[in-house]
Amino acid sequence: IAGTYGAFGGTDGIGAAARFAGPRGIWGDSNHLYISDTFTVRRLEIATNDVVTIAGLFPSASIVDGIGSAARFRDVLGITGDSSYLWVSDSGICMRRIHKTTMNVTTVAGSMIVGDYGDSDGNGLYARFNGIQGLTNSTDYVYACDASNSAIRRISKSTNDVSFFVGNSSITGNQDGILLSILSGPSG
């Protein structure tokens, strides 16, 4: 429905005229698909297959908050959303939020410094991740697969508090359980 095999880039366009740098995640509502595309976040209108970049700039790689093309992403991986916001994981170390109307991009959890990873819970920028990839959300939380920490992490939409939800960064493997679940590199 969009893009052309073998044609790399960040060009907006309808259907085959659009170019992608490396789509990694997709989330949709009734009218649009939102695509995490390495350096950018893109929106595809389902009725027309029109692809537009809503945040970031191809091929600029950095972690900078801003509005629309003034924002920068280093490596957008997972994506999820609701009626007001999109959440994307960037470089495996931080969670970014995009207002769907204003396209304002804000880092809400984790570190904006490349290589500053870890496994600590905390509020917003005090929390640390190590490989967040796949995302989903509920009314109150965003859930993130934190692959290198072998855990599912939970981020409060209202307070940006981050906590381990399932798994433990010091134990890897496969074990079901209520009190101690063990995961091995969840990714999405």
Side-chain angles (χ1 to χ4, degrees):
I1 63 172
T4 299
Y5 174 76
F8 174 83
T11 306
D12 293 342
I14 297 173
R19 298 290 178 263
F20 293 93
R24 309 243 171 102
I26 191 166
W27 177 83
D29 59 26
S30 58
N31 298 312
H32 300 98
L33 298 177
Y34 294 90
I35 303 145
S36 57
D37 188 25
T38 309
F39 310 109
T40 61
V41 176
R42 319 284 293 279
R43 181 181 64 214
L44 183 146
E45 187 173 334
I46 294 171
T48 64
N49 296 337
D50 189 16
V51 176
V52 294
T53 302
I54 62 169
L57 183 66
F58 173 83
S60 296
S62 188
I63 301 175
V64 177
D65 291 345
I67 297 173
S69 62
R72 296 292 182 270
F73 299 94
R74 185 171 173 271
D75 190 12
V76 187
L77 300 166
I79 187 168
T80 191
D82 62 22
S83 60
S84 299
Y85 294 99
L86 299 169
W87 286 267
V88 296
S89 57
D90 193 356
S91 305
I93 60 170
C94 63
M95 182 69 60
R96 320 274 305 272
R97 183 180 66 204
I98 305 167
H99 191 278
K100 287 169 62 177
T101 303
T102 66
M103 305 314 162
N104 188 30
V105 177
T106 306
T107 304
V108 296
S111 177
M112 296 173 67
I113 301 169
V114 175
D116 188 12
Y117 53 86
D119 64 355
S120 57
D121 289 343
N123 180 262
L125 302 180
Y126 293 103
R128 290 296 175 265
F129 300 98
N130 190 6
I132 50 175
Q133 297 176 22
L135 305 175
T136 192
N137 76 96
S138 66
T139 303
D140 298 321
Y141 296 98
V142 174
Y143 298 90
C145 293
D146 195 353
S148 294
N149 282 326
S150 299
I152 306 297
R153 306 288 291 280
R154 180 171 71 179
I155 302 101
S156 168
K157 289 181 178 181
S158 61
T159 67
N160 299 326
D161 285 330
V162 177
S163 60
F164 278 87
F165 185 65
V166 176
N168 183 322
S169 64
S170 62
I171 304 170
T172 62
N174 298 304
Q175 176 179 319
D176 295 338
I178 295 172
L179 298 177
L180 177 63
S181 295
I182 300 172
L183 303 175
S184 182
S187 62

